[in-house]
Each structure stands twice: as structure tokens, then as C-alpha cells.
Amino acid sequence: MNMKMNLSDPDTFARLERQAFHGTVDVSGMPPAAYKYFSELAAVYRAYRFEGLPKEEAVRHKDKLLKDYHASVQESRRIREMYAAYQDAIRRAGTLTSEIEKSHSVDEIADKACMVIALLIGDSSFYARQCRKLKEAQSCGV
């Protein structure tokens, strides 16, 4: 399979489904979700064409396979986005850590350290809560 094949293109997807029907789909090189969908779809079509699987049951199997395929694609996309956000947080935390090393003010160190912690624990409200505490402590003379 061409690695540049666009599985989100409806015409390409329909062509691959037709190939699955005829038993000629090449699943090698496909992403895991597509590999599973098209190989299992080919098996359903084979059972329909040669083993007497009723059409209604074949349609139900295809619908379930397609639903599972889309869920798997969405999950993969969500995982990629989460991983990218995590990598970005690590990169930003590294930059902030470098800035902490260059800081001379306790307030600046505390501020940046709280940013780092918020990034690494993935809690967007952590930084704001700590800033409020730091401001309260400063007004109290601490």
C-alpha cells in the first residue's frame, strides 16, 4: 500500500472497501485501525460471497467494523494530541527551569517553579491558585 494513501478521502476508502469485497485489498503498510478494518471486512465479504453469510448479517458486521474503525481512529488522534501536549509541556518546563537557574528573585523563582509544576501535572488551575497564595503572603509581610 502507498504510505501516502489518504484514508480520510471517501473515494479512496470506498475503493479499498470494493477491493475488500473482491478479496484484493492489500492491507500491508496500513495504519493499525485500517489494517484491522479492511482485513476483517474482507473476511466478512468472503463469508458473504462464498460461505452463505446472510446479507443482513454481513451489513451488521460491516457497520460494527466501521464503527470500531472510526472509534479507533479517534482514539489514536486523541492519544497523538495528548502526547504532543505532553511533549510541549516538557519543553516549556525545560525553558522555565533554565529561567529559574538565571533568576535572582525569590518571587520570580517561586512564580516560575509553580508554572513548571502546573505544566508537569497538567493542572491548569494550579498556577493561579499558587499565585493567589504568593500575593497574599507578600501582603502579609512574609
Side-chain angles (χ1 to χ4, degrees), residues 44 54-66:
V44 168
K55 183 177 181 176
E56 299 78 22
E57 195 171 332
V59 168
R60 274 196 309 277
H61 282 299
K62 179 185 177 192
D63 290 345
K64 175 155 181 14
L65 290 172
L66 189 58

Side-chain angles (χ1 to χ4, degrees), residues 78-98:
R78 187 187 66 76
I79 288 170
R80 276 193 309 277
E81 289 169 359
M82 190 171 53
Y83 182 73
Y86 180 69
Q87 290 299 313
D88 184 56
I90 290 172
R91 181 191 52 75
R92 291 173 49 208
T95 300
L96 287 166
T97 301
S98 178

Side-chain angles (χ1 to χ4, degrees), residues 68-86:
D68 292 348
Y69 167 77
H70 287 299
S72 183
V73 168
Q74 284 300 105
E75 180 68 6
S76 294
R77 185 174 295 127
R78 187 187 66 76
I79 288 170
R80 276 193 309 277
E81 289 169 359
M82 190 171 53
Y83 182 73
Y86 180 69

Side-chain angles (χ1 to χ4, degrees), residues 1-16:
M1 178 184 151
N2 180 350
M3 296 302 286
K4 301 280 185 191
M5 187 172 287
N6 182 2
L7 292 170
S8 62
D9 173 43
D11 293 333
T12 300
F13 204 83
R15 180 174 47 79
L16 290 168

Side-chain angles (χ1 to χ4, degrees), residues 90 92-102 112 116 120:
I90 290 172
R92 291 173 49 208
T95 300
L96 287 166
T97 301
S98 178
E99 291 175 15
I100 290 170
E101 292 290 344
K102 297 173 189 172
K112 291 186 185 317
V116 168
L120 296 181

